[in-house]
Amino acid sequence: GLHPLLDRADLVVGDGERIGLIGRNGTGKSSLLAVIAGQALLDDGQVKRRDGASVVLVEQEPELPRASSLRESLAVRGGLDGIADERERWRTEARLVEFLHRFGLDEATAPESASGGEKKRAALALALALAPDLLLLDEPTNHLDLDAVLWLEDWLARYPGTLLLITHARDFLDAVVTAIVHVDGLKLKSYSGNYSQFERERAQQLALQQASYVKQQRQIAHL
């Protein structure tokens, strides 16, 4: 609407970085992923990507194309028929089937009968099978059991591409990311390290700000 989510904010993401995107609900985290994926437009500013870089976004509540089975629906969503190299298409489809089974899904299930959680797991399986240059995940641990979460942690920790991740699961952030971007005050502030390191650094910054504020109030009272 009329309320800006980000204003004169900037972010540079290097190849191979694994970034946790954090901030209060409603600050624009999901919107930012949609903009980076090209699924939403900026009112002003621009997004620059390396030429030819592949990007896949798994939304909080993904929708799947109509088809007779999850496998066919995901093939359409992921553009698998457009992969020119037949061997690469076969490998991608084989990975897709493997990941569907990993997340407890039957590839023959009709998308229309799948629950929201099943659709989310199916979209996540497709994203991992595609292994894009830039992977954007919005709350990927929702609807996963503990074994699946631990497996996903390990997979993402070894993922050679670039990752931007939104999640409220702090342990998952600590296990996966190498940097944190905090959405706060319409800006994007970057911190190196995992979530626990961010918390420590943020606490130190807030303590310094509070000490500075107290000192200013004393000076004001004295004057």
Side-chain angles (χ1 to χ4, degrees):
L2 300 176
H3 301 287
L5 294 174
L6 297 171
D7 183 26
R8 290 184 292 277
D10 63 272
L11 174 64
V12 178
V13 180
D15 284 343
E17 284 195 276
R18 298 197 299 276
I19 294 174
L21 190 60
I22 67 170
R24 296 191 316 276
N25 289 338
T27 53
K29 302 185 297 297
S30 296
S31 297
L32 180 58
L33 291 194
V35 164
I36 294 171
Q39 296 183 11
L41 298 177
L42 290 168
D43 296 315
D44 191 18
Q46 57 186 323
V47 176
K48 295 182 179 179
R49 288 201 299 261
R50 175 167 51 83
D51 290 343
S54 56
V55 182
V56 173
L57 166 64
V58 180
E59 312 94 318
Q60 283 196 48
E61 298 178 357
E63 291 298 325
L64 303 182
R66 283 185 165 273
S68 61
S69 68
L70 274 181
R71 183 173 180 176
E72 291 183 11
S73 176
L74 293 170
V76 174
R77 177 181 165 102
L80 300 190
D81 290 341
I83 300 177
D85 188 323
E86 189 172 331
R87 286 179 297 179
E88 180 56 32
R89 184 167 68 237
W90 182 88
R91 285 194 291 265
T92 302
E93 290 177 349
R95 290 196 299 267
L96 173 58
V97 172
E98 175 192 348
F99 296 153
L100 284 173
H101 292 167
R102 170 68 64 175
F103 293 141
L105 297 169
D106 182 350
E107 61 188 276
T109 300
E112 292 78 11
S113 65
S115 67
E118 288 171 332
K119 290 179 180 179
K120 180 61 177 280
R121 283 179 280 151
L124 182 58
L126 173 64
L128 303 188
L130 290 171
D133 300 310
L134 176 57
L135 182 58
L136 309 172
L137 301 180
D138 196 343
E139 297 291 353
T141 61
N142 286 0
H143 311 292
L144 297 184
D145 61 24
L146 179 58
D147 287 343
V149 169
L150 294 175
W151 178 86
L152 182 60
E153 279 184 6
D154 182 64
W155 193 94
L156 292 175
R158 294 181 287 107
Y159 172 57
T162 305
L163 171 69
L164 265 72
L165 162 71
I166 299 171
T167 181
H168 288 89
R170 298 182 177 189
D171 290 343
F172 190 79
L173 281 172
D174 275 350
V176 172
V177 305
T178 56
I180 292 290
V181 171
H182 187 205
V183 186
D184 184 45
L186 309 185
K187 306 298 182 188
L188 299 170
K189 185 165 184 180
S190 299
Y191 297 79
S192 60
N194 60 20
Y195 184 81
S196 293
Q197 291 170 288
F198 157 77
E199 273 198 322
R200 289 192 293 270
E201 187 171 345
R202 176 75 171 161
Q204 291 171 355
Q205 290 177 354
L206 292 175
L208 288 174
Q209 289 175 7
Q210 178 64 20
S212 176
Y213 173 78
V214 170
K215 182 178 179 181
Q216 288 174 354
Q217 294 305 305
R218 287 173 179 166
Q219 290 175 333
I220 290 171
H222 175 71
L223 291 171

